[in-house]
Every structure is written in C-alpha cells, then in structure tokens.
Amino acid sequence: MLLDRQFFTTADRSMNFDQRLERAIERGQRQRDAESRERALRAMTEEECKNVHSKARLELSEHVEACLRKLADYFPGFDYETLMSADGWGARIRRDDLAPGTAGSKGLIHYYSHVEMLVRPYSPTRIVELVARGAIRNKEVLSRSHFQQLTQVDIDVFREVIDQWVLEYAERFSARA
C-alpha cells in the first residue's frame, strides 16, 4: 500500500509536469504568433493600413447606423442622425422630453436622452476603435470603447459588441423611461 501512494504521487507529479510542459509550449507558440503578427504589421505600408482601416470603418459604421435606426423605431421620439466628424464616423439617436417638476416647483423639467457610436479615424497606433456614449434622462449610462489591432481586426466581433451595447441601452431606456 505504501508503494501505491508513492506511485500515485510520482504519476501525479509526472502529469503535472506534462501539463506545465504543454502550457510552456503553448506560451512559446503564442509568443511566436504575436511576433509574426507584429512583423506583418510593421511590413504593412501606411497606405495598406489606411485601406484596411477604411474598409473596417465603412462596414462598422453601416452596422451602427442600422442598429440605431432600429432602436429609434422601437422608441418613438428619438431623432436619428448620421455622424461624420473629426471624432469619427457613426450615428446618434437623441430625444428631448419634458416632465412636470416636483410638487413644490413650477414649470417643466427638461430630460435629454441619447446614444451615439463612432468608429475613430485612422491613427498611427494602427487600431480600429469603436466608442459609444449614452445618457438616459440626463444621466450617463453608457461609456464604452472596444479596439483591435489592424492585423487582427475581426468585424464579426465588432458587430457583436455593437449589438450588445445597443441592447444594453434599450433595456436601460425601457426600464427608466
């Protein structure tokens, strides 16, 4: 019985070593892959980087526009606006509401709600960046940013992020409005 304990202990150590060895090999492979992506990024000319960014920006801004138009359709009163500025390309929806003041006050209270999403312009950092800001009844409820390196841009991941942020805003707006 004493031998069995020694055997399992040695087997456990061996398996633990095997697992650690596999992890070390995987880390080395990830490092090699990261270095090759970095070399590929450096090898891309500035013009190629701008073209990749422009293509991604176009696809993402179209998806932002479609999602925010749908959101505005579900909540009447929102005005849709396409955004093209030095801050980026995308869209915004916003609305103004008036509500009676508190019991002791006279007049109406102005409430402002909006959500906007922009794809930032190309920069020397060589990333694609999506930013979102939103407020409901004068309170900021959404402030997010997501980015990826140009050599690793996955449009589907960005679309999922956009969908998630729009759904989050819709849920919060419907709960507070």
Side-chain angles (χ1 to χ4, degrees), residues 132-147:
R133 291 183 292 270
I136 298 171
R137 297 179 64 94
N138 300 347
K139 294 188 187 208
E140 184 176 322
V141 296
L142 183 69
S143 180
R144 305 275 191 282
S145 176
H146 179 78
F147 66 91

Side-chain angles (χ1 to χ4, degrees), residues 59-83:
E59 288 184 46
L60 294 175
S61 60
E62 286 176 355
H63 189 68
V64 164
E65 291 174 6
C67 288
L68 291 184
R69 282 184 195 273
K70 286 180 187 176
L71 184 60
D73 290 343
Y74 275 90
F75 296 109
F78 273 101
D79 294 324
Y80 172 84
E81 179 182 3
T82 300
L83 299 176

Side-chain angles (χ1 to χ4, degrees), residues 26 35 46 58 66 74 79 120 135 153 162:
E26 289 172 4
E35 289 170 356
E46 194 68 15
L58 180 62
Y74 275 90
D79 294 324
R120 295 265 188 213
V153 170
I162 292 166

Side-chain angles (χ1 to χ4, degrees), residues 93-167:
I93 59 171
R94 59 182 168 178
R95 69 185 272 169
D96 293 312
D97 295 308
L98 294 174
T102 57
S105 69
K106 294 182 181 177
L108 299 173
I109 297 175
H110 174 256
Y111 290 111
Y112 177 74
S113 299
H114 80 283
V115 63
E116 70 178 43
M117 292 187 189
L118 295 171
V119 180
R120 295 265 188 213
Y122 177 78
S123 71
T125 56
R126 295 184 174 186
I127 62 171
V128 175
E129 182 180 16
L130 174 70
V131 295
R133 291 183 292 270
I136 298 171
R137 297 179 64 94
N138 300 347
K139 294 188 187 208
E140 184 176 322
V141 296
L142 183 69
S143 180
R144 305 275 191 282
S145 176
H146 179 78
F147 66 91
Q148 293 178 357
Q149 295 290 329
L150 279 174
T151 57
Q152 302 170 344
V153 170
D154 186 344
I155 298 298
D156 291 332
V157 170
F158 271 103
R159 287 183 178 159
E160 290 174 17
V161 168
I162 292 166
D163 293 349
Q164 179 184 354
W165 291 349
V166 170
L167 294 172

